[in-house]
Amino acid sequence: MSLMTLTATITGGQHPDYYAGRADAYDERNSGTTLHELAHRSTVIADLHSSTQYALGYADRVLELRREHAAQAAAQTDLAHTGATA
């Protein structure tokens, strides 16, 4: 006799497609896709993908990546102007 194990899905209240979109954007960035290319893909996905949640997840991850990039650029600029070394 086998028993089925029930576990709660941890999705933070979001649809699983949302996390699939985030994961795809994450994977594409790690495979060398530029931020510009990701932003373009995000707009195409928003127009053509059948799942709105997937498109939202993809776009959210791209926006996070752009914010991370902007923060790093600002920090590096600050270091360059102050002459401090990291």
Side-chain angles (χ1 to χ4, degrees):
M1 179 177 153
S2 64
L3 296 174
M4 181 171 58
T5 304
L6 299 174
T7 60
T9 304
I10 301 171
T11 61
Q14 294 287 349
H15 193 277
D17 285 351
Y18 175 83
Y19 293 105
R22 289 182 59 85
D24 285 348
Y26 177 86
D27 290 343
E28 289 174 8
R29 178 64 176 155
N30 286 340
S31 69
T33 306
T34 66
L35 287 176
H36 182 74
E37 291 170 326
L38 286 174
H40 176 71
R41 289 179 187 178
S42 179
T43 59
V44 171
I45 288 170
D47 289 339
L48 301 177
H49 203 279
S50 61
S51 173
T52 302
Q53 291 297 321
Y54 179 91
L56 287 173
Y58 195 97
D60 279 352
R61 184 62 189 140
V62 171
L63 289 173
E64 287 174 4
L65 289 167
R66 293 176 97 176
R67 282 188 229 116
E68 290 170 8
H69 178 74
Q72 288 175 351
Q76 290 173 358
T77 300
D78 189 45
L79 285 175
H81 283 289
T82 61
T85 58

